[in-house]
Amino acid sequence: MLTQTIDRERVAAAYASVYDALRFIAERQFRIPEDDAREIIHDAFVRFMRHHQTVADDSAWLVRTTRNACIDWSRRHRPTEALPASLTEPSRDVNAKVDVLRLLSRLSARCRDVLWRRFVEHETAEEIAINCSASTSGGYGRKLVYECLNAARAALNTVRGRA
Amino acid sequence: MIYHPHPDELLLFVTDHPSLDGPDRARVAAHITTCTGCAEEADALRVFYASLADPSLYAFMAEDAPRKAALFASLQSEMDDAELAGGVADDFVAELLARPVSRWNALLLRRPEQQTYALAERLLKHVDIEMNRRPLDTLDILNVIARIADSLHGHDADEVSAHVWKQRSNAYRHLSRYTESLSAADIAALLYRRLPDGEYGEAQAHLTAAIALFKMTEYQLALDKLTPAITTLHKYGVNLPLIRALILQANIFVEQGDMARALPQYRSVLPLLNKIGDRIEEARVLGNLADCSLRAGDYETAIHDATLAVDRYEQLRMEAEAVRATWTLHLAQLKVGDLEALDRLHITAAAFEVLSMLGEAGFVRLDITEELLRIGDWEAATPIARALVDLFTRARVTLAQVEAIDQLRRAVEKREATPDFVRQVRAYVEAENPAIPFTAPRPN
């Protein structure tokens, strides 16, 4: 069934939470040039705008639609290259990266910062407390990390459709 | 009960969180060496948290912020255009609806600028609404939409054409023109395949074909269409076509008498319906669950689900469906020895009569008769059996069916009828095959 009224807030929310993941799929996974990748993503959102009333899991729908469009693009632009199976059925590693991008988009900037410090910069709990708040307490830093991990887990469950 | 670590505990384990002490850590570690499910979950979490530590992903998000905003602005302008075109199309639809469909093409020829995707979209919506009531008329409207599709370009043209063929398939099915319905669904599938989200539409076209095959009682062929369609639709997360496909699959299991597969299938659909907020379909699935449990002999579950279904239907003011669910409820109550349910079945039969659903009222009274014969209450059974003849006659069943009911009446009056006799009469009336006359079982 087609839709006639556009839920603009819903389209905007989907855009905010899944755009980076779609770009990752198009640009990094399929190695599609930026301009074409953006066109593919734009088309996916236009189709979503038309069909969102029959969809409950917005980001899953957008990810799948974008991935299919990327497959079509690859077949059109690189007809002599065999499409690796890893592109049509992505590995767990790729899925995890897509999930991380989707969930980072859902987290607050503060939580993104805390997770960056904990997992990428390997800051200690005390350093996180100092850098992210006025506190110097390691306990508070651990609490911040734990809260953000929990928020990440909740976002992950939503991203994976378990919410 | 088997121990499985709580997701929070697993999270603490894979992230080496200090709040998980040594013995707990050892317990989780020991468990995942023996539990495949938890080991896979832990692995998935590990991969996920390794990705969370990938600095390139944070950089990737940060690098594109300005273009992300620009692209969203372009999407917003697309939404503005779509709403504007929608407004124009709404006005033109009003003009079209004021005329007979036979004059729509002439009007469109005079106003070619109106032949837009938005107009096709609105007319398809109109077809969707009219489909159950006037399927033959929708075929004419679909011919008009097909002409609009010819004037569109690219994916818009393919998409509208695909929808037209899918709806033609639905219309033919409503008109019992099943072969045409299947051919139209095949064409729709081919057209959907040209779209970027083609497999989604294609799966919906296969679902449409499966519904036609279900109506043709070609259950295995319907399942063959349905199973891959469900796999595809699953990839798009929870969506309405997926839920419809799962329900149809469960309906097929019921028709095949496979309650063991039907019950969990219906049960699995409930949270999806809840997620999508479809209260009507949720009530229907609860009703189906109750029917299945009754057939499978799980009367307590049948009572539970039927009670929920009645409640939902009443909230939705779906009176006929609510009465139908009370029928299941009272039958299940009867099966667990609640003899007062017999009185409540009388109320159900009366409710069907009030709704002019005389056939259903007759079947409820057949159930009552069967129960009365089981407990040997001939005094109560006789007037009901007599009334059944009149009731089924008013329900306009065939002469052969009325004859079968009359044979039951005579057997009850002679006190020769048995519950099995009632079941045979019921099966005969349900089968609707007037060519074969009813043969009464010999009295014992």
Side-chain angles (χ1 to χ4, degrees), chain A residues 1-4 8 15 19 23 34-35 38 42 47 50-51 54 56-57 64 68 103 153, chain B residues 8 48 60 64 67-68 71 78 80 83 117 121 125 128 156 159 163 197 199 236 238 240:
Chain A
M1 189 173 63
L2 301 169
T3 176
Q4 275 134 53
R8 296 181 78 119
Y15 189 87
Y19 171 84
R23 200 167 61 85
E34 278 182 17
D35 288 347
R38 279 167 180 78
H42 182 74
R47 299 193 65 72
R50 290 176 173 179
H51 296 285
T54 66
D57 188 340
R64 189 70 199 176
N68 283 345
L103 100 79
R153 192 173 60 76
Chain B
D8 280 341
F48 177 78
F60 182 80
D64 200 56
R67 294 190 69 170
K68 182 177 179 179
L71 204 68
E78 196 96 36
D80 293 340
E83 281 174 349
Y117 175 89
E121 186 185 39
K125 179 78 182 170
D128 212 35
D156 284 357
E159 184 188 335
H163 289 317
D197 56 341
E199 62 174 3
Y236 289 82
V238 178
L240 201 54

Side-chain angles (χ1 to χ4, degrees), chain A residues 45-104:
Chain A
F45 274 104
V46 170
R47 299 193 65 72
F48 175 70
M49 170 186 97
R50 290 176 173 179
H51 296 285
H52 62 280
Q53 282 184 349
T54 66
V55 174
D57 188 340
D58 299 354
S59 61
W61 193 93
L62 281 158
V63 164
R64 189 70 199 176
T65 299
T66 301
R67 191 162 269 146
N68 283 345
C70 291
I71 291 170
D72 284 350
W73 187 96
S74 300
R75 285 185 178 141
R76 259 197 334 273
H77 289 82
R78 298 167 187 148
T80 55
E81 280 182 40
L83 205 60
S86 60
L87 288 184
T88 48
E89 290 304 329
S91 67
R92 196 160 61 172
D93 182 50
V94 167
N95 279 335
K97 284 184 164 60
V98 170
D99 282 349
V100 165
L101 285 168
R102 286 161 70 188
L103 100 79
L104 287 177

Side-chain angles (χ1 to χ4, degrees), chain B residues 8-283:
Chain B
D8 280 341
E9 205 175 9
L10 214 49
L11 171 73
L12 296 174
F13 177 77
V14 299
T15 54
D16 280 333
H17 199 274
S19 70
L20 192 69
D21 60 22
D24 284 344
R25 187 173 301 280
R27 185 164 47 92
V28 176
H31 175 76
I32 60 176
T33 58
T34 57
C35 174
T36 316
C38 290
E40 281 176 2
E41 182 67 20
D43 275 352
L45 277 172
R46 266 195 208 98
V47 173
F48 177 78
Y49 281 100
S51 298
L52 203 55
D54 180 351
S56 70
L57 290 182
Y58 294 82
F60 182 80
M61 281 182 79
E63 78 191 14
D64 200 56
R67 294 190 69 170
K68 182 177 179 179
L71 204 68
F72 184 62
S74 153
L75 183 66
Q76 277 184 312
S77 126
E78 196 96 36
M79 289 193 271
D80 293 340
D81 291 349
E83 281 174 349
L84 203 63
V88 173
D90 282 336
D91 293 342
F92 193 66
V93 167
E95 278 189 57
L96 288 175
L97 292 178
R99 295 168 169 77
V101 178
S102 58
R103 289 173 55 193
W104 289 11
N105 274 331
L107 186 60
L108 278 164
L109 278 175
R110 287 202 303 277
R111 309 268 296 275
E113 78 285 357
Q114 293 286 353
Q115 300 194 27
T116 60
Y117 175 89
L119 179 66
E121 186 185 39
R122 275 146 182 80
L123 292 178
L124 279 162
K125 179 78 182 170
H126 181 65
V127 163
D128 212 35
I129 294 164
E130 292 294 305
M131 184 61 75
N132 282 320
R133 234 162 33 100
R134 301 186 300 156
L136 194 59
D137 293 348
T138 62
L139 285 172
D140 292 334
I141 302 172
L142 286 166
N143 288 340
V144 175
I145 305 171
R147 274 175 166 251
I148 298 172
D150 289 344
S151 70
L152 302 176
H153 302 286
H155 290 325
D156 284 357
D158 289 336
E159 184 188 335
V160 172
S161 299
H163 289 317
V164 163
W165 279 102
K166 190 180 75 179
Q167 289 291 36
R168 278 182 177 144
S169 175
N170 284 323
Y172 288 136
R173 187 186 69 244
H174 281 283
L175 295 165
S176 305
R177 289 158 62 175
Y178 296 125
T179 312
E180 288 162 281
S181 173
L182 291 174
S183 302
D186 282 346
I187 297 170
L190 284 172
L191 288 164
Y192 279 122
R193 218 172 288 168
R194 296 183 187 175
L195 301 171
D197 56 341
E199 62 174 3
Y200 185 65
E202 191 185 345
Q204 290 186 63
H206 291 320
L207 166 61
T208 308
I211 300 170
L213 289 164
F214 177 78
K215 294 278 179 191
M216 295 163 78
T217 66
E218 293 283 2
Y219 299 128
Q220 193 50 51
L221 291 176
L223 280 179
D224 293 345
K225 283 269 182 201
L226 212 47
T227 309
I230 287 172
T231 307
T232 301
L233 292 170
H234 258 303
K235 293 174 186 168
Y236 289 82
V238 178
N239 57 76
L240 201 54
L242 170 67
I243 296 170
R244 285 183 179 152
L246 291 170
I247 292 173
L248 177 63
Q249 199 178 38
N251 293 345
I252 294 171
F253 293 150
V254 170
E255 292 303 324
Q256 292 178 326
D258 191 349
M259 298 304 145
R261 292 175 81 187
L263 278 161
Q265 175 92 340
Y266 281 132
R267 193 75 64 196
S268 72
V269 167
L270 281 175
L272 307 185
L273 287 167
N274 190 272
K275 190 168 183 181
I276 211 160
D278 190 335
R279 305 276 295 161
I280 294 175
E281 209 55 50
E282 204 180 340

